[in-house]
Amino acid sequence: MSVKIDRLNHNIIKEVSYILMQEVKDENIKFVTITDCKTTNDLSYAKIYFTVLDDTKKDITLKALDNAKGFIRKELAERIEVRHTPELEFVYDESIDYGKRIEEKLKELNDKK
């Protein structure tokens, strides 16, 4: 991956986090953490990974993020320097849950010893 895309991904994470915290009025989005961003090489799409504090609200949060996608993209266009702002896709980040499950399994194995 190029340095330009890495820098763009970092800026998208930072700006989307700020937009969600300060600009978006939807209460379902207030406790969202942006964990990663993967932008395609042609800069046309950006997959933004997120987590929520309460796992039971991940579907509601995903719907709210999809509803706010246009607003977030418009705000992002004003904040980052790219010719064409990428289309945004929000994806729940399963890696944290996966890490927790591995940790629990390791703890179980250690407790058995």
Side-chain angles (χ1 to χ4, degrees), residues 11-25:
N11 283 339
I12 289 174
I13 290 169
K14 186 177 82 172
E15 294 300 336
V16 169
S17 295
Y18 181 81
I19 292 167
L20 292 177
M21 217 170 34
Q22 300 294 327
E23 309 288 332
V24 176
K25 305 270 188 277

Side-chain angles (χ1 to χ4, degrees), residues 4-96:
K4 178 182 178 184
I5 292 177
D6 278 344
R7 195 175 320 127
L8 178 63
N9 286 338
H10 179 73
N11 283 339
I12 289 174
I13 290 169
K14 186 177 82 172
E15 294 300 336
V16 169
S17 295
Y18 181 81
I19 292 167
L20 292 177
M21 217 170 34
Q22 300 294 327
E23 309 288 332
V24 176
K25 305 270 188 277
D26 192 337
E27 289 300 315
N28 291 322
I29 300 178
K30 289 298 179 193
F31 297 105
V32 171
T33 302
I34 303 299
T35 56
D36 197 12
C37 177
K38 295 200 185 333
T39 306
T40 56
N41 288 335
D42 64 356
L43 307 180
S44 59
Y45 291 94
K47 233 181 220 184
I48 300 173
Y49 294 87
F50 72 94
T51 61
V52 287
L53 289 174
D54 185 0
D55 286 345
T56 60
K57 293 187 177 182
K58 68 182 178 185
D59 293 331
I60 295 168
T61 304
L62 183 58
K63 255 184 214 158
L65 285 169
D66 283 340
N67 288 339
K69 197 184 303 188
F71 173 77
I72 295 168
R73 186 169 182 236
K74 181 180 76 67
E75 288 293 316
L76 199 56
E78 295 172 5
R79 296 164 193 251
I80 59 174
E81 301 275 329
V82 286
R83 192 175 298 151
H84 174 75
T85 307
E87 290 287 331
L88 305 179
E89 179 185 353
F90 289 96
V91 179
Y92 183 74
D93 191 351
E94 303 282 346
S95 65
I96 292 174

